């Protein structure tokens, strides 16, 4: 069982780390001082670029910063194309649609994820199938994937079909939990054999690399998020990345109301979406991208401080999985059991430190209760034990 004393020691450590030095000792003890899990940091050209955008009057989804942001994503991810969207959920939805997912289909993903992964599948009318994760990466397990496919799926000329439901399995969406890279090369390899397109949910993994390659460069398509809680933010925003020019053009067209370009005619050739990122947000995104490396470096330093401190308390910091060059987005501890987890959450939050459990598994939620799933041994193990701790950069 976890010692209350080690929780208290960790609480003082986090307070020392995060409460600014200019606050007097007396104030530090006030109940009002709450240390968040992950704060956005604006310390670069954010205001300058925002003012430029306002002065230009190009505040909506056409503008110089949108183009610039897309070009910068292309270089960072080392990919052919990037399309800036309103948020990560919309990006996932469009990825799935362009991968060919239809309302009669099924999509493989993990149950241990943020709700947006599953919802984006449902938006298309498709059904998620939840597979287990690996304990070390907390991302989709290639072993679980292969086992499910071998036991339940029939490979035909035009793709894979679920033997139980007769439905086509038209995509697989692994997610890089907290910026840890899942075993993406193995997943791509398996899915290729089974003719299933892979879409990376890279919402949490901007700045993470796997065997030297950026997250968001492995799948047919990938989705990023720039929401306020992510490693960098533009208020709300997302991006799709792909090496396929044809798909990239479709992504841009479909998210720009499917308007056929013309000087004055309004002609739309399908039901499109108004999903493009506004230039105001892109201005913020460009300024934030410039600071990504500094933010990562600071977070690495914080992780290392946690590492040396936690070694002496008996609380286990979650290790970086092999092959991940991590962005250090959200750090976490692994408690011994659910009882310890609940006590840890209770005590830390009571003492002004924001900590949060990992997500409730998708099939425990009413909308996804009836979804097909495998054993979930690792997902359930992690669900009972993982807690995120404050991880903001100090810049
Ligand atoms: C944040 C997040 C999303 C959704 O991104 P939004 O920009 O908030 O819509 C999707 N998937 C995962 C895993 C996320 O963490």
């Amino acid at each position: 069982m976890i010692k209350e004393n080690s929780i208290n020691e960790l609480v003082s450590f986090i307070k020392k780390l995060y409460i600014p030095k200019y606050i007097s000792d007396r104030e530090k003890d006030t109940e009002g001082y709450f240390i968040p899990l992950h704060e956005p940091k604006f310390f670069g050209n954010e205001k300058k670029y925002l003012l430029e955008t306002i002065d230009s009057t190009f505040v909506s989804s056409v503008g110089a910063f949108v183009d610039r942001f897309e070009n910068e994503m292309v270089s960072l991810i080392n990919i052919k194309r990037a399309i800036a969207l309103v948020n990560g959920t919309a990006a996932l939805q469009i990825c799935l649609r362009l991968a060919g997912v239809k309302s009669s289909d099924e999509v493989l993903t993990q149950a241990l994820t943020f709700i947006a992964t599953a919802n984006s599948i449902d938006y298309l009318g498709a059904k998620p199938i939840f597979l287990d994760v690996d304990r070390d990466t907390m991302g989709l397990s290639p072993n679980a994937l292969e086992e499910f496919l071998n036991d339940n799926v029939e490979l035909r000329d035009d793709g894979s079909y679920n033997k139980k439901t007769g439905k086509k399995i038209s995509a697989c969406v692994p997610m890089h939990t907290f910026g840890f890279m899942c075993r993406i090369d193995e997943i791509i390899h398996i899915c290729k054999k089974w003719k299933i397109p892979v879409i990376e949910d890279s919402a949490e993994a901007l700045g993470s690399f796997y065997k030297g390659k950026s997250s968001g460069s492995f799948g047919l398509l990938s989705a990023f998020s720039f929401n306020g809680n992510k490693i960098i933010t533009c208020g709300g925003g997302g991006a799709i990345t792909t090496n396929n020019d044809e798909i990239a053009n479709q992504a841009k067209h479909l998210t720009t109301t499917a308007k056929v370009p013309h000087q004055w005619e309004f002609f739309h050739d399908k039901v499109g979406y108004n999903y493009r990122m506004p230039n105001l947000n892109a201005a913020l995104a460009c300024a934030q991208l410039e600071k990504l490396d500094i933010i990562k470096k600071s977070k690495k330093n914080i992780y290392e401080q946690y590492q040396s401190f936690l070694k002496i308390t008996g609380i286990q910091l979650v290790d970086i999985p092999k092959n991940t060059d991590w962005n250090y987005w959200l750090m976490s501890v692994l408690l011994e059991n659910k009882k310890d987890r609940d006590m840890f959450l209770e005590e830390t939050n009571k003492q002004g430190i924001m900590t949060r459990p990992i997500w409730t598994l998708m099939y425990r939620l009413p909308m996804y209760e009836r979804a097909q799933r495998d054993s979930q041994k690792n997902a359930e193990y992690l669900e009972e034990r993982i807690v995120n701790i404050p991880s903001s950069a100090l810049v």
Side-chain angles (χ1 to χ4, degrees):
M1 215 186 76
I2 192 165
K3 290 191 213 82
E4 208 174 311
N5 198 30
S6 20
I7 300 180
N8 291 337
E9 280 170 19
L10 178 59
V11 165
S12 348
F13 174 80
I14 293 174
K15 284 190 173 171
K16 250 186 243 143
L17 189 64
Y18 278 111
I19 297 184
K21 305 223 179 351
Y22 58 78
I23 291 187
S24 71
D25 281 343
R26 199 159 45 82
E27 278 178 300
K28 278 179 196 170
D29 287 332
T30 59
E31 275 178 27
Y33 208 96
F34 197 77
I35 295 165
L37 207 56
H38 201 277
E39 257 184 333
K41 297 285 168 177
F42 304 113
F43 58 106
N45 287 318
E46 286 85 357
K47 287 179 185 164
K48 177 166 174 266
Y49 293 171
L50 277 174
L51 285 177
E52 271 177 43
T53 310
I54 291 166
D55 289 341
S56 79
T57 77
F58 283 87
V59 292
S60 269
S61 56
V62 172
F65 281 115
V66 176
D67 297 337
R68 178 167 153 187
F69 173 60
E70 290 178 342
N71 289 333
E72 281 166 10
M73 281 294 286
V74 162
S75 351
L76 172 65
I77 309 304
N78 193 13
I79 197 136
K80 258 193 183 163
R81 302 283 295 276
I83 301 96
L85 299 197
V86 283
N87 59 53
T89 313
L92 278 171
Q93 183 190 349
I94 297 299
C95 286
L96 287 160
R97 173 150 168 182
L98 293 178
V101 175
K102 306 265 184 320
S103 62
S104 52
D105 294 348
E106 294 174 336
V107 174
L108 305 171
T109 189
Q110 54 203 68
L112 186 73
T113 186
F114 177 59
I115 189 74
T117 321
N119 282 353
S120 63
I121 296 166
D122 192 79
Y123 293 163
L124 284 135
K127 295 266 177 273
I129 296 176
F130 297 116
L131 303 181
D132 205 4
V133 294
D134 284 327
R135 272 205 199 170
D136 57 345
T137 69
M138 304 193 229
L140 188 68
S141 158
N143 292 339
L145 175 65
E146 189 141 51
E147 199 176 304
F148 179 84
L149 290 167
N150 284 331
D151 293 351
N152 299 281
V153 174
E154 182 192 330
L155 180 63
R156 299 185 198 156
D157 287 343
D158 69 330
S160 279
Y161 287 81
N162 187 339
K163 285 192 251 182
K164 194 165 142 198
T165 60
K167 290 185 172 191
K168 186 173 187 181
I169 294 175
S170 53
C172 175
V173 189
M175 196 276 281
H176 304 302
T177 302
F178 307 147
F180 288 171
M181 295 296 293
C182 66
R183 292 184 167 74
I184 187 68
D185 52 350
E186 291 176 50
I187 290 168
I188 300 265
H189 180 76
I190 296 164
C191 285
K192 201 167 173 182
K193 264 196 316 209
W194 291 85
K195 299 182 186 164
I196 300 172
V198 174
I199 293 163
E200 279 176 82
D201 184 344
S202 283
E204 306 184 352
L206 183 82
S208 285
F209 293 77
Y210 184 77
K211 300 181 181 174
K213 273 185 75 178
S214 172
S215 80
S217 70
F218 295 87
L220 174 66
L221 291 135
S222 305
F224 287 94
S225 167
F226 300 90
N227 191 45
N229 62 335
K230 299 301 198 284
I231 183 151
I232 59 166
T233 182
C234 63
I240 291 175
T241 52
T242 179
N243 270 319
N244 184 313
D245 273 318
E246 173 55 30
I247 288 179
N249 294 339
Q250 284 180 45
K252 197 162 171 175
H253 180 62
L254 196 58
T255 55
T256 319
T257 68
K259 185 179 179 295
V260 177
H262 188 280
Q263 241 183 318
W264 54 79
E265 298 286 0
F266 286 104
F267 189 82
H268 306 258
D269 61 3
K270 41 171 84 73
V271 180
Y273 303 85
N274 178 15
Y275 276 1
R276 290 282 278 159
M277 181 187 282
N279 203 34
L280 269 176
N281 299 84
L284 261 180
C286 286
Q288 286 268 282
L289 263 185
E290 292 171 358
K291 299 296 185 194
L292 179 61
D293 282 340
I294 296 176
I295 290 172
K296 263 166 69 175
K297 203 178 267 173
S298 160
K299 288 159 71 69
K300 177 171 194 276
N301 177 269
I302 285 161
Y303 181 77
E304 284 163 0
Q305 291 192 51
Y306 272 130
Q307 230 171 2
S308 4
F309 173 77
L310 285 172
K311 235 183 275 164
I312 48 172
T313 62
I315 299 173
Q316 195 183 333
L317 183 68
V318 173
D319 277 334
I320 310 169
K322 220 177 116 205
N323 294 320
T324 288
D325 176 1
W326 192 24
N327 66 359
Y328 296 88
W329 177 53
L330 259 198
M331 300 161 206
S332 51
V333 292
L334 178 82
L335 285 317
E336 257 171 53
N337 51 48
K338 185 159 184 304
K339 211 166 145 247
D340 277 8
R341 183 202 84 155
D342 292 344
M343 183 168 129
F344 184 90
L345 284 164
E346 185 78 38
E347 275 304 310
T348 46
N349 283 285
K350 202 169 72 192
Q351 297 190 46
I353 308 289
M354 182 170 172
T355 59
R356 287 290 179 269
I358 202 165
W359 312 280
T360 302
L361 300 178
M362 290 300 112
Y363 55 82
R364 300 197 201 284
L365 308 178
M367 316 76 90
Y368 301 117
E369 248 167 26
R370 280 150 55 189
Q372 194 174 347
R373 63 176 201 260
D374 65 4
S375 83
Q376 304 293 325
K377 216 174 67 212
N378 294 334
E380 288 179 1
Y381 176 90
L382 295 166
E383 182 192 33
E384 290 194 338
R385 292 168 177 81
I386 295 285
V387 175
N388 290 119
I389 53 178
S391 309
S392 308
L394 280 168
V395 287

